Short mmCIF file of all heavy atoms in Angstrom, two decimals:
data_model
loop_
_atom_site.label_atom_id
_atom_site.label_comp_id
_atom_site.label_asym_id
_atom_site.label_seq_id
_atom_site.Cartn_x
_atom_site.Cartn_y
_atom_site.Cartn_z
N ALA A 199 -10.85 -31.45 -73.90
CA ALA A 199 -11.26 -31.35 -75.34
C ALA A 199 -10.08 -31.33 -76.29
O ALA A 199 -10.23 -31.19 -77.46
CB ALA A 199 -12.10 -30.01 -75.48
N GLY A 200 -8.82 -31.42 -75.67
CA GLY A 200 -7.62 -31.42 -76.55
C GLY A 200 -6.97 -30.09 -76.68
O GLY A 200 -6.61 -29.77 -77.78
N LEU A 201 -6.77 -29.38 -75.66
CA LEU A 201 -6.04 -28.10 -75.76
C LEU A 201 -4.52 -28.42 -75.96
O LEU A 201 -3.88 -28.85 -75.05
CB LEU A 201 -6.25 -27.25 -74.48
CG LEU A 201 -7.67 -26.65 -74.25
CD1 LEU A 201 -7.62 -25.61 -73.20
CD2 LEU A 201 -8.25 -26.18 -75.50
N LEU A 202 -4.10 -28.12 -77.14
CA LEU A 202 -2.67 -28.51 -77.44
C LEU A 202 -1.62 -27.95 -76.53
O LEU A 202 -0.75 -28.73 -76.08
CB LEU A 202 -2.40 -28.07 -78.93
CG LEU A 202 -2.57 -29.11 -79.98
CD1 LEU A 202 -2.07 -28.53 -81.26
CD2 LEU A 202 -1.84 -30.38 -79.65
N LEU A 205 -1.61 -29.93 -73.43
CA LEU A 205 -1.10 -31.28 -73.67
C LEU A 205 0.41 -31.37 -73.75
O LEU A 205 1.10 -32.19 -73.22
CB LEU A 205 -1.75 -31.96 -74.88
CG LEU A 205 -3.21 -32.36 -74.77
CD1 LEU A 205 -3.77 -32.79 -76.07
CD2 LEU A 205 -3.38 -33.49 -73.72
N LEU A 221 -12.99 -36.84 -78.15
CA LEU A 221 -12.71 -36.87 -79.56
C LEU A 221 -14.00 -36.50 -80.39
O LEU A 221 -14.01 -35.56 -81.13
CB LEU A 221 -12.16 -38.24 -80.02
CG LEU A 221 -11.36 -38.24 -81.32
CD1 LEU A 221 -10.18 -37.30 -81.31
CD2 LEU A 221 -10.88 -39.70 -81.63
N ASP A 225 -13.52 -37.11 -88.33
CA ASP A 225 -12.93 -36.32 -89.32
C ASP A 225 -12.88 -34.83 -88.85
O ASP A 225 -13.70 -34.43 -87.98
CB ASP A 225 -13.56 -36.32 -90.71
CG ASP A 225 -14.97 -35.85 -90.70
OD1 ASP A 225 -15.17 -34.66 -90.90
OD2 ASP A 225 -15.92 -36.61 -90.34
N GLU A 226 -11.93 -34.00 -89.39
CA GLU A 226 -11.75 -32.62 -88.94
C GLU A 226 -13.00 -31.79 -89.05
O GLU A 226 -13.38 -31.05 -88.16
CB GLU A 226 -10.59 -31.98 -89.61
CG GLU A 226 -9.30 -32.67 -89.61
CD GLU A 226 -8.55 -32.54 -88.19
OE1 GLU A 226 -9.08 -31.94 -87.31
OE2 GLU A 226 -7.45 -33.13 -88.13
N GLU A 227 -13.64 -32.00 -90.20
CA GLU A 227 -14.83 -31.11 -90.47
C GLU A 227 -15.92 -31.26 -89.50
O GLU A 227 -16.42 -30.32 -88.94
CB GLU A 227 -15.24 -31.34 -91.94
CG GLU A 227 -16.07 -30.24 -92.52
CD GLU A 227 -16.68 -30.64 -93.80
OE1 GLU A 227 -15.97 -31.29 -94.61
OE2 GLU A 227 -17.86 -30.22 -94.07
N ARG A 229 -15.64 -32.59 -86.58
CA ARG A 229 -15.20 -32.22 -85.16
C ARG A 229 -15.29 -30.68 -85.09
O ARG A 229 -15.70 -30.25 -84.04
CB ARG A 229 -13.87 -32.75 -84.91
CG ARG A 229 -13.47 -32.68 -83.47
CD ARG A 229 -12.27 -33.49 -83.04
NE ARG A 229 -12.05 -33.58 -81.66
CZ ARG A 229 -11.31 -32.82 -80.90
NH1 ARG A 229 -10.63 -31.85 -81.49
NH2 ARG A 229 -11.20 -32.98 -79.64
N SER A 230 -14.89 -29.97 -86.12
CA SER A 230 -14.97 -28.55 -86.03
C SER A 230 -16.41 -28.06 -85.85
O SER A 230 -16.66 -27.05 -85.23
CB SER A 230 -14.40 -27.86 -87.23
OG SER A 230 -12.96 -28.18 -87.31
N MET A 233 -17.25 -29.24 -82.19
CA MET A 233 -16.35 -28.64 -81.21
C MET A 233 -15.55 -27.56 -81.89
O MET A 233 -14.48 -27.82 -82.50
CB MET A 233 -15.43 -29.70 -80.63
CG MET A 233 -16.13 -30.88 -80.04
SD MET A 233 -14.93 -32.18 -79.46
CE MET A 233 -14.23 -31.46 -78.06
N PRO A 234 -15.90 -26.28 -81.77
CA PRO A 234 -15.22 -25.20 -82.49
C PRO A 234 -13.76 -25.16 -82.10
O PRO A 234 -12.92 -24.68 -83.00
CB PRO A 234 -15.90 -23.92 -82.00
CG PRO A 234 -17.29 -24.40 -81.55
CD PRO A 234 -17.13 -25.80 -81.06
N VAL A 235 -13.30 -25.66 -81.01
CA VAL A 235 -11.95 -25.64 -80.55
C VAL A 235 -11.04 -26.39 -81.57
O VAL A 235 -9.87 -26.18 -81.72
CB VAL A 235 -11.74 -26.24 -79.20
CG1 VAL A 235 -12.03 -27.70 -79.15
CG2 VAL A 235 -10.34 -26.00 -78.62
N ASN A 236 -11.72 -27.27 -82.31
CA ASN A 236 -10.94 -28.09 -83.37
C ASN A 236 -10.35 -27.23 -84.45
O ASN A 236 -9.37 -27.62 -85.14
CB ASN A 236 -11.81 -29.18 -83.92
CG ASN A 236 -11.00 -30.21 -84.75
OD1 ASN A 236 -10.18 -30.91 -84.07
ND2 ASN A 236 -11.24 -30.27 -86.00
N ARG A 237 -10.90 -26.09 -84.65
CA ARG A 237 -10.34 -25.16 -85.71
C ARG A 237 -8.95 -24.69 -85.28
O ARG A 237 -8.09 -24.47 -86.09
CB ARG A 237 -11.22 -24.00 -85.98
CG ARG A 237 -12.64 -24.48 -86.54
CD ARG A 237 -13.34 -23.38 -87.37
NE ARG A 237 -14.71 -23.97 -87.64
CZ ARG A 237 -15.75 -23.70 -86.97
NH1 ARG A 237 -15.73 -22.87 -85.89
NH2 ARG A 237 -16.94 -24.30 -87.20
N ARG A 238 -8.84 -24.36 -83.98
CA ARG A 238 -7.61 -23.93 -83.50
C ARG A 238 -6.58 -25.10 -83.26
O ARG A 238 -5.44 -24.93 -83.58
CB ARG A 238 -7.82 -23.19 -82.15
CG ARG A 238 -7.24 -21.82 -82.16
CD ARG A 238 -7.73 -20.98 -81.00
NE ARG A 238 -6.62 -20.70 -80.12
CZ ARG A 238 -6.75 -20.35 -78.87
NH1 ARG A 238 -8.01 -20.28 -78.40
NH2 ARG A 238 -5.74 -20.07 -78.21
N TYR A 239 -7.07 -26.11 -82.73
CA TYR A 239 -6.22 -27.25 -82.40
C TYR A 239 -6.76 -28.51 -83.03
O TYR A 239 -7.53 -29.29 -82.47
CB TYR A 239 -6.15 -27.48 -80.86
CG TYR A 239 -5.68 -26.25 -80.15
CD1 TYR A 239 -6.45 -25.71 -79.13
CD2 TYR A 239 -4.50 -25.63 -80.45
CE1 TYR A 239 -6.07 -24.53 -78.45
CE2 TYR A 239 -4.04 -24.51 -79.79
CZ TYR A 239 -4.88 -23.97 -78.82
OH TYR A 239 -4.45 -22.86 -78.09
N PRO A 240 -6.49 -28.68 -84.31
CA PRO A 240 -7.02 -29.82 -85.09
C PRO A 240 -6.74 -31.13 -84.48
O PRO A 240 -5.61 -31.37 -83.96
CB PRO A 240 -6.44 -29.69 -86.50
CG PRO A 240 -5.86 -28.32 -86.56
CD PRO A 240 -5.52 -27.90 -85.17
N MET A 241 -7.63 -32.00 -84.58
CA MET A 241 -7.57 -33.40 -84.13
C MET A 241 -6.24 -34.09 -84.49
O MET A 241 -5.58 -34.80 -83.71
CB MET A 241 -8.74 -34.13 -84.60
CG MET A 241 -8.85 -35.62 -84.51
SD MET A 241 -10.56 -36.04 -84.82
CE MET A 241 -10.47 -36.03 -86.63
N LYS A 242 -5.82 -33.91 -85.74
CA LYS A 242 -4.68 -34.56 -86.24
C LYS A 242 -3.41 -34.12 -85.35
O LYS A 242 -2.62 -34.98 -84.99
CB LYS A 242 -4.36 -34.02 -87.71
CG LYS A 242 -3.26 -34.74 -88.41
CD LYS A 242 -3.32 -34.51 -89.93
CE LYS A 242 -2.11 -35.08 -90.50
NZ LYS A 242 -0.98 -34.07 -90.64
N ARG A 243 -3.32 -32.85 -85.00
CA ARG A 243 -2.16 -32.42 -84.21
C ARG A 243 -2.31 -32.92 -82.79
O ARG A 243 -1.31 -33.30 -82.06
CB ARG A 243 -2.06 -30.94 -84.21
CG ARG A 243 -1.47 -30.45 -85.53
CD ARG A 243 -1.43 -28.96 -85.67
NE ARG A 243 -0.78 -28.24 -84.63
CZ ARG A 243 -0.95 -26.99 -84.21
NH1 ARG A 243 -1.90 -26.25 -84.85
NH2 ARG A 243 -0.29 -26.40 -83.27
N VAL A 244 -3.56 -33.03 -82.30
CA VAL A 244 -3.70 -33.58 -80.94
C VAL A 244 -3.28 -35.00 -80.84
O VAL A 244 -2.53 -35.43 -79.93
CB VAL A 244 -5.26 -33.40 -80.43
CG1 VAL A 244 -5.55 -34.15 -79.22
CG2 VAL A 244 -5.65 -31.99 -80.34
N LEU A 245 -3.75 -35.78 -81.89
CA LEU A 245 -3.31 -37.18 -81.85
C LEU A 245 -1.89 -37.41 -82.06
O LEU A 245 -1.27 -38.33 -81.43
CB LEU A 245 -4.15 -37.92 -82.98
CG LEU A 245 -5.67 -38.01 -82.78
CD1 LEU A 245 -6.33 -38.60 -83.95
CD2 LEU A 245 -5.97 -38.83 -81.48
N GLU A 246 -1.25 -36.50 -82.78
CA GLU A 246 0.24 -36.58 -83.01
C GLU A 246 0.87 -36.42 -81.58
O GLU A 246 1.87 -37.16 -81.36
CB GLU A 246 0.58 -35.37 -83.92
CG GLU A 246 1.75 -35.61 -84.87
CD GLU A 246 1.73 -37.03 -85.51
OE1 GLU A 246 0.74 -37.34 -86.14
OE2 GLU A 246 2.74 -37.70 -85.23
N VAL A 247 0.44 -35.44 -80.85
CA VAL A 247 1.06 -35.25 -79.53
C VAL A 247 0.87 -36.57 -78.64
O VAL A 247 1.82 -36.95 -77.95
CB VAL A 247 0.50 -33.94 -78.80
CG1 VAL A 247 1.00 -33.94 -77.33
CG2 VAL A 247 0.93 -32.75 -79.49
#
Side-chain angles (χ1 to χ4, degrees):
L201 292 193
L202 266 186
L205 285 173
L221 200 60
D225 65 89
E226 302 285 1
E227 200 187 322
R229 192 165 192 265
S230 296
M233 306 175 71
V235 65
N236 194 65
R237 295 202 188 98
R238 234 165 114 202
Y239 305 122
M241 173 165 76
K242 187 166 172 272
R243 284 174 57 204
V244 171
L245 293 174
E246 214 41 59
V247 171

